[in-house]
């Protein structure tokens, strides 16, 4: 028989649960998921822009599509469906997208999106992204309105086109859900 007392056995020390390690793993998993989503969006956009013919004019690349997608710009690329608009509407929309392209708003959109990828857990990052996109629309509206002789026509066009079709997340789209705010900003 073993005559040792219970005090002779080595006691195992129980390690406390490492919450920092758990949070680090959760953060990294979220970072990977959001980065993959961002990368897939960029690849999809690249494939979409290369899927049809383009015309270069005045340092811009115009893509006419038959897709049921909202007009948008991404850097110097402007995509639109000419069958959805009359000549005057199309001119206004293209001017709006030219403002986005000339002022490099795509960089702002990409930086806001990357901020959300890195700070995916922070609601303030997502709020800031939305505010940045709103401000870019206000800037483009102000610039595009200068090209029209009739500011009221521009506001009516915003109202007419307020029902969005398919939108890509990484682009500056003419359609947004903040039509009322855009019209209010045009008034100021």
């Amino acid at each position: 028989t073993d005559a040792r007392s219970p005090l002779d056995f080595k006691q195992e020390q129980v390690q406390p649960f490492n919450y920092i390690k758990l949070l680090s793993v959760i953060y990294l998993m979220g970072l990977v998921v959001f980065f993959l989503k961002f990368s897939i969006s960029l690849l999809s956009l690249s494939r979409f822009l290369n899927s049809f013919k383009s015309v270069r004019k005045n340092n811009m690349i115009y893509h006419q599509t038959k897709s049921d997608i909202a007009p948008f710009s991404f850097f110097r690329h402007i995509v639109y469906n000419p069958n959805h608009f009359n000549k005057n509407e199309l001119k206004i929309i293209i001017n709006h997208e030219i403002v986005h392209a000339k002022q490099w708003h795509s960089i702002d959109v990409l930086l806001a999106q990357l901020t959300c990828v890195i700070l995916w857990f922070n609601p303030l990052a997502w709020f800031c992204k939305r505010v940045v996109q709103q401000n870019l629309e206000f800037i483009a509206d102000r610039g595009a309105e200068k090209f029209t002789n009739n500011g009221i026509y521009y506001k009516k066009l915003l109202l007419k086109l307020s029902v969005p079709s398919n939108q890509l997340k990484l682009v500056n789209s003419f359609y947004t859900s903040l039509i009322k705010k855009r019209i209010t900003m045009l008034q100021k």
Side-chain angles (χ1 to χ4, degrees), residues 4 35 104 111:
R4 289 190 281 173
F35 185 76
W104 296 92
L111 288 175

Side-chain angles (χ1 to χ4, degrees), residues 26-37:
I26 290 171
Y27 171 75
L28 288 174
M29 286 173 36
L31 184 68
V32 167
V33 167
F34 282 99
F35 185 76
L36 284 173
K37 190 176 175 182

Side-chain angles (χ1 to χ4, degrees), residues 113-155:
Q113 188 66 39
L114 280 172
T115 301
C116 288
V117 167
I118 295 167
L119 300 174
W120 60 266
F121 58 90
N122 188 342
L124 189 59
W126 296 94
F127 174 75
C128 288
K129 175 187 164 203
R130 191 174 73 232
V131 169
V132 165
Q133 289 174 325
Q134 284 179 354
N135 285 330
L136 295 176
E137 290 305 318
F138 297 153
I139 291 167
D141 285 338
R142 188 175 12 149
E145 187 182 36
K146 291 178 184 176
F147 290 108
T148 65
N149 296 333
N150 188 348
I152 293 173
Y153 183 75
Y154 188 80
K155 293 171 189 107

